[in-house]
Amino acid sequence: MTINVICGYILFAMAAPNIDTIVSLAKRRGFVFPSSEIYGGLGSAWDYGPLGVELCNNVKQSWWRWLVYERDDIEGVDSSIILNRLVWKYSGHEATFHDPLVDCRECKTRMRADKIDGKCSNCGSTNLTDQRFFNMMFRTLIGAAAEEDDPAALAYLRPETAQGIFINFLNVQTAMRRKLPFGIAQVGKSFRNEITPGNFILRTREFEQMEMEYFVKPDAEHSKLVDEWVELYLEWFKGLGISGNNLQLHEVPEKELAHYSRRTVDIMYRYFPERPEEERQFEELMGIAYRTDFDLRAHSSKAVDSESQRINPDSTEDLSYFDEAGKQRFYPHVIEPAAGVNRTVLAVLMDAYSEKTNDKGETRVILKLAPQLAPIKAAILPLAKNKPEIVGMAKAIKRSLQPVLRAVYDDTGGIGKLYARQDEIGTPMCVTVDHQSLEDEAVTVRDRDTWEQERVEVAELAEYLQSRLKAAAPVQAAGAATSSLDI
Ligand code: ATP
């Protein structure tokens, strides 16, 4: 496990030993706070702090840039969270979006039946109730005067972003003059009344998804396309700094497939490294599903079932596609990679976590975030905060860097403490302004991972930092590149 020795410190190249390590770091350093804490919290809800919101934004931006900007076949949308209730009727969610629920008769714990092996996850008892189904959509009422039991006022918070894409398929296709194959991407909040939320931001009732629906012809090689997207996403995750050793594929068995899916492959991450191997170390990070033409047909006015009955008498639009080349009209089929922002952030944090321990047993945490994800790219630190010239120069450098990259100024401690703090939040570069800087217009740049220092002229600093950050960005596979590193 020991990798090397830097300045008397022994570096342990390790991911976080468990989720709790990240919970504590996240709260201490301003990434994630328990929500509503001053009122006793709200079961498994979390708020993202100053650094957490930056990290989430960087993950979402990296994803958006990769799919919408760098590829030529994907458009973006941002649909409403509350949609017409009929969307959820015809998507099948009203009837089937439920989880099996059981209660333990001994300790009264409530659990998802499909996440346990017939034993209570709390006390191990097998004395469980029969399973019953529980619809996970959050209900709300539309209209100021709506009565509690008025079905016309009933609406749901979306449990997935995907339906907002399907109902806009024709709008996007015609407005953007798209031909198959092409995709539509969306990132945004989804809500599920989970039976057993928990494990920090891994499973919450309110979360964020990055979903993309890739529309193809009915005779495309769907299974091969699923495999291709799996490969692309594996490379994307590795590009975010997640080790391939902590990723695993899971072919979802047929009997566990969602109602719309003919094949689903989950990419799993080792969220529970502390568990013995036989005890579920891995949990789903994302899923790639072949949804057939289920959704577009379900929302179409003209689609019929096997008895020639209209599937959807409420829809006013037919979401079919006319293929000029083949002179054929059909409902496109869909490959859907659906990833969670929060689960990605947790995996990124766990994999970036490392510790250095010195001879005296003192441990320093270093968060080795990929530069494009780091909340802060450079911290500008004055060596003496009681010297107005040094402070003034450091603040001026911060201001001059800000248009180019995210920089902060910090003088709230001695230089050792300031370095340690920046290491712990994953800042790739620290820039120190000292007495000498006033003479030679140069500063010291310290690298987070090697702690090596270099003297750089202030006039060249912005360019120098940008090139160092770019050089540190992981190489990505073709089609999955983060080539235009946004710093
Ligand atoms: P699980 O089996 O873990 O409940 P799922 O298969 O129902 O997940 P999908 O419907 O495939 O999840 O949603 C796509 C992605 O959205 C998931 O892979 C995950 O990253 C994210 N996600 C789903 N539910 C939650 C949740 N309750 N909290 C956080 N992220 C979630």
Side-chain angles (χ1 to χ4, degrees):
M1 176 184 265
T2 304
I3 299 300
N4 54 17
V5 179
I6 303 170
C7 309
Y9 276 82
I10 300 168
L11 170 64
F12 293 96
M14 51 191 267
N18 49 43
I19 291 179
D20 285 346
T21 311
I22 300 300
V23 177
S24 130
L25 170 75
K27 180 163 185 201
R28 193 171 65 246
R29 290 303 188 196
F31 282 91
V32 186
F33 307 123
S35 184
S36 316
E37 203 178 11
I38 60 166
Y39 290 109
L42 173 71
S44 300
W46 300 88
D47 295 339
Y48 289 80
L51 300 182
V53 64
E54 298 288 346
L55 179 54
C56 287
N57 284 344
N58 291 343
V59 164
K60 290 184 276 185
Q61 265 173 29
S62 163
W63 181 79
W64 193 262
R65 184 167 301 106
W66 169 47
L67 289 183
V68 181
Y69 295 175
E70 290 176 11
R71 294 180 63 107
D72 299 318
D73 56 353
I74 296 178
E75 303 284 356
V77 293
D78 183 13
S79 69
S80 298
I81 285 176
I82 299 176
L83 302 171
N84 188 312
R85 182 183 161 196
L86 291 170
V87 171
W88 307 109
K89 174 178 172 184
Y90 289 103
S91 69
H93 284 78
E94 266 195 339
T96 63
F97 194 64
H98 43 221
D99 271 347
L101 173 152
V102 290
D103 290 305
C104 173
R105 290 202 178 91
E106 305 292 336
C107 72
K108 311 292 176 219
T109 300
R110 180 159 288 179
M111 293 149 284
R112 248 174 83 171
D114 59 330
K115 294 280 176 191
I116 54 169
D117 300 325
K119 278 196 259 159
C120 171
S121 56
N122 183 41
C123 70
S125 166
T126 51
N127 188 7
L128 307 176
T129 59
D130 287 343
Q131 69 178 40
R132 55 203 188 280
F133 285 96
F134 166 76
N135 193 297
M136 295 202 296
M137 285 196 288
F138 271 99
R139 291 152 164 258
T140 188
L141 295 173
I142 295 182
E147 299 286 339
E148 276 296 320
D149 53 356
D150 178 2
L154 176 63
Y156 302 102
L157 304 189
R158 67 180 176 201
E160 61 173 32
T161 62
Q163 295 305 322
I165 296 179
F166 293 126
I167 58 174
N168 277 298
F169 166 75
L170 209 55
N171 288 335
V172 175
Q173 192 253 318
T174 10
M176 309 311 285
R177 301 181 308 281
R178 281 288 181 182
K179 291 202 171 11
L180 296 184
F182 74 94
I184 305 178
Q186 166 155 237
V187 49
K189 292 245 171 154
S190 291
F191 303 80
R192 296 181 189 178
N193 207 350
E194 295 275 359
I195 296 166
T196 42
N199 292 312
F200 191 37
I201 53 175
L202 181 70
R203 186 177 302 283
T204 49
R205 295 193 172 99
E206 173 179 342
F207 54 97
E208 232 172 339
Q209 293 185 304
M210 301 176 281
E211 295 196 295
M212 197 273 289
E213 310 303 320
Y214 197 68
F215 300 95
V216 298
K217 290 185 181 174
D219 60 357
E221 292 183 83
H222 306 113
S223 214
K224 197 164 151 233
L225 282 166
V226 169
D227 293 334
E228 280 174 19
W229 279 107
V230 167
E231 281 309 310
L232 287 172
Y233 266 86
L234 283 174
E235 289 311 314
W236 184 67
F237 285 125
K238 288 182 205 163
L240 298 185
I242 299 173
S243 158
N245 293 332
N246 290 329
L247 295 171
Q248 206 175 63
L249 298 183
H250 171 65
E251 184 81 42
V252 177
E254 217 176 308
K255 62 178 175 22
E256 289 173 25
L257 289 174
H259 63 278
Y260 51 73
S261 171
R262 196 168 294 167
R263 182 185 174 209
T264 299
V265 178
D266 288 340
I267 299 184
M268 318 278 282
Y269 176 78
R270 197 193 302 269
Y271 290 107
F272 304 99
E274 74 281 16
R275 291 182 184 166
E277 266 179 42
E278 62 283 4
E279 272 185 36
R280 248 189 124 101
Q281 291 185 336
F282 289 79
E283 192 60 64
E284 178 180 328
L285 169 60
M286 73 168 298
I288 293 121
Y290 168 37
R291 288 181 85 126
T292 69
D293 58 356
F294 176 87
D295 302 272
L296 289 185
R297 283 174 61 82
H299 290 304
S300 282
S301 57
K302 291 191 183 155
V304 289
D305 61 17
S306 54
E307 275 136 37
S308 302
Q309 296 297 312
R310 273 177 75 187
I311 298 174
N312 189 331
D314 293 308
S315 168
T316 58
E317 195 65 76
D318 191 53
L319 306 179
S320 61
Y321 172 88
F322 185 72
D323 179 39
E324 296 283 352
K327 300 279 178 252
Q328 257 189 323
R329 183 167 282 285
F330 52 75
Y331 295 103
H333 283 227
V334 173
I335 313 296
E336 174 198 71
V341 173
N342 319 79
R343 289 190 192 180
T344 303
V345 163
L346 181 54
V348 159
L349 283 170
M350 289 187 76
D351 252 49
Y353 185 93
S354 69
E355 289 178 357
K356 277 181 187 177
T357 304
N358 69 9
D359 310 346
K360 297 181 208 137
E362 292 161 346
T363 299
R364 293 269 291 264
V365 172
I366 309 196
L367 206 55
K368 297 193 163 203
L369 291 172
Q372 84 263 31
L373 297 187
I376 295 160
K377 313 302 178 193
I380 320 304
L381 315 172
L383 200 63
K385 73 168 175 185
N386 52 1
K387 275 255 175 232
E389 301 92 323
I390 293 183
V391 167
M393 185 173 179
K395 287 186 173 168
I397 290 175
K398 188 266 157 184
R399 278 196 301 276
S400 73
L401 287 176
Q402 191 50 69
V404 190
L405 49 82
R406 171 85 167 113
V408 294
Y409 166 87
D410 191 4
D411 66 7
T412 55
I415 194 70
K417 275 229 166 69
L418 295 179
Y419 280 153
R421 180 170 187 277
Q422 295 300 331
D423 285 347
E424 208 174 358
I425 63 173
T427 307
M429 305 278 167
C430 284
V431 174
T432 311
V433 181
D434 53 26
H435 294 90
Q436 184 69 24
S437 307
L438 302 173
E439 311 288 319
D440 64 3
E441 281 286 314
V443 288
T444 303
V445 178
R446 171 189 176 273
D447 182 275
R448 174 195 70 199
D449 299 338
T450 62
W451 290 357
E452 276 167 12
Q453 306 199 354
E454 219 172 305
R455 201 76 185 159
V456 179
E457 283 180 32
V458 174
E460 285 161 15
L461 185 62
E463 207 176 312
Y464 172 87
L465 292 176
Q466 278 181 296
S467 69
R468 286 285 298 270
L469 291 166
K470 275 198 175 124
V475 180
Q476 300 245 351
T482 325
S483 55
S484 56
L485 175 72
D486 178 42
I487 50 177

